[in-house]
Amino acid sequence: MEQVGQTALIVEGGAMRSVFSCGILDHFLAENFSPFESFWGVSAGASNLAAYLAKMPGRNKKIYLDYSRRKEFINLRQYLGGGDLIDLDWMWQITLDELGIDRQVLTADKRPFFLVVARQDSGQAEYHTPDVDMLAETMKASSALPIMYRHGVDLNGKRYVDGGVADAIPVAEAIARGARKIMVLRSRPASYRKSDEKLKPLLKHLLRETPNLIEPMLTRAARYNQTVALIENPPQGVEIMQICPPESFKLKRLSRDASSLELAYQLGVEAGQEAIERWK
């Protein structure tokens, strides 16, 4: 197990809700705020962290407010015909072609950046620290939501899906590796607790081609809520501060409303200032 320094930044996923942490991280860049010794990202949170570590403010805001709202990305007709609901292949290709990612800046930063992925054949979490050549595919794997993106992503001969299946907020793993002062950027209000899956027979049917993901998907709520309890009651010697959207935050996972996304981003920018003050 790779040990890390004592300070860590963890960014939760949440699809379009992660525009909130995008705003926080853009504000961090504006203030040149980066006191962390390790970084941990899940799903859209991993993509937000990549833009932050590449020092590209505004990059992912454009993804949320432009590319994610295009018809090519979310396609119900394609899904009903047996394809993917979210076209990650299109999204990754067009954003890398048109927005790029600063590989030189990413390579120069030697602090570990952990991307959480889940093995498709077991549902177990893995914490990858890819080099810049594998970063894009690993980000895609961490965002490959089962059911919505059917076949997962191949990384070195094994297939992976969204890290949130196994470890949505990797606080326990960061602590196990030595982190003692941790900031967590959430995509849900502080009071949120995940509910148990209500449509279990349907979920089992939709996952019939990847049966080893059924149990992890059915038990996600318990693991998520245990992690929130850990955040609120960390072990002795560990300090955890979580930066959450306000209780009124109602943005949907696949929201495409530009004004709602812009508002969520601005809420993140404001929360970014609060986060800096709390950390100091």
Side-chain angles (χ1 to χ4, degrees), residues 13 16 39 42 50 74 76 82 84 125 258:
M16 303 299 274
F39 302 88
V42 184
I74 302 176
L76 182 59
D84 296 318

Side-chain angles (χ1 to χ4, degrees), residues 14-232:
M16 303 299 274
R17 285 191 293 265
S18 294
V19 70
F20 175 75
S21 64
C22 177
I24 295 174
L25 293 170
D26 276 359
H27 185 73
F28 285 1
L29 284 172
E31 297 295 319
N32 195 30
F33 179 75
S34 188
F36 312 102
E37 295 169 278
S38 68
F39 302 88
W40 304 73
V42 184
S43 193
S47 296
N48 286 348
L49 268 176
Y52 170 69
L53 291 169
K55 298 183 179 179
M56 298 179 71
R59 179 190 189 275
N60 282 24
K61 181 185 180 184
K62 183 170 179 59
I63 292 175
Y64 289 108
L65 271 75
D66 180 0
Y67 296 96
S68 294
R69 298 177 59 245
R70 298 187 190 181
K71 60 180 175 56
E72 291 91 344
F73 182 52
I74 302 176
N75 191 325
L76 182 59
R77 179 177 296 177
Q78 176 178 276
Y79 180 69
L80 294 174
D84 296 318
L85 178 62
I86 55 173
D87 193 338
L88 293 182
D89 301 316
W90 171 84
M91 173 65 80
W92 254 249
Q93 189 63 53
I94 194 170
T95 54
L96 286 172
D97 287 347
E98 297 185 1
L99 302 179
I101 190 83
D102 197 321
R103 296 162 61 93
Q104 187 172 356
V105 172
L106 284 168
T107 301
D109 195 330
K110 301 304 181 184
R111 294 172 294 179
F113 173 22
F114 294 92
L115 286 79
V116 185
V117 291
R119 284 276 294 266
Q120 191 178 66
D121 61 3
S122 69
Q124 294 296 307
E126 292 185 7
Y127 308 87
H128 291 198
T129 52
D131 62 25
V132 71
D133 292 326
M134 284 295 294
L135 180 63
E137 281 300 293
T138 309
M139 286 195 297
K140 186 195 294 187
S142 188
S143 299
L145 289 159
I147 302 172
M148 294 185 186
Y149 185 78
R150 297 180 190 269
H151 50 275
V153 175
D154 184 280
L155 300 175
N156 299 317
K158 297 181 175 64
R159 301 203 77 80
Y160 293 88
V161 298
D162 191 300
V165 170
D167 193 358
I169 314 175
V171 172
E173 186 70 17
I175 293 172
R177 295 183 188 237
R180 294 297 177 263
K181 184 177 182 182
I182 301 169
M183 180 183 288
V184 181
L185 307 187
R186 301 278 306 280
S187 59
R188 294 280 201 175
S191 66
Y192 174 77
R193 300 296 184 274
K194 189 177 287 293
S195 300
D196 288 332
E197 179 61 49
K198 295 181 176 63
L199 301 174
K200 293 181 181 180
L202 176 60
L203 183 70
K204 292 178 179 178
H205 174 73
L206 293 172
L207 291 171
R208 63 193 181 278
E209 294 182 4
T210 53
N212 291 325
L213 289 178
I214 293 174
E215 184 63 21
M217 288 287 285
L218 289 175
T219 56
R220 280 190 309 156
R223 289 194 303 280
Y224 186 93
N225 296 338
Q226 287 169 1
T227 299
V228 174
L230 175 61
I231 291 170
E232 295 181 344

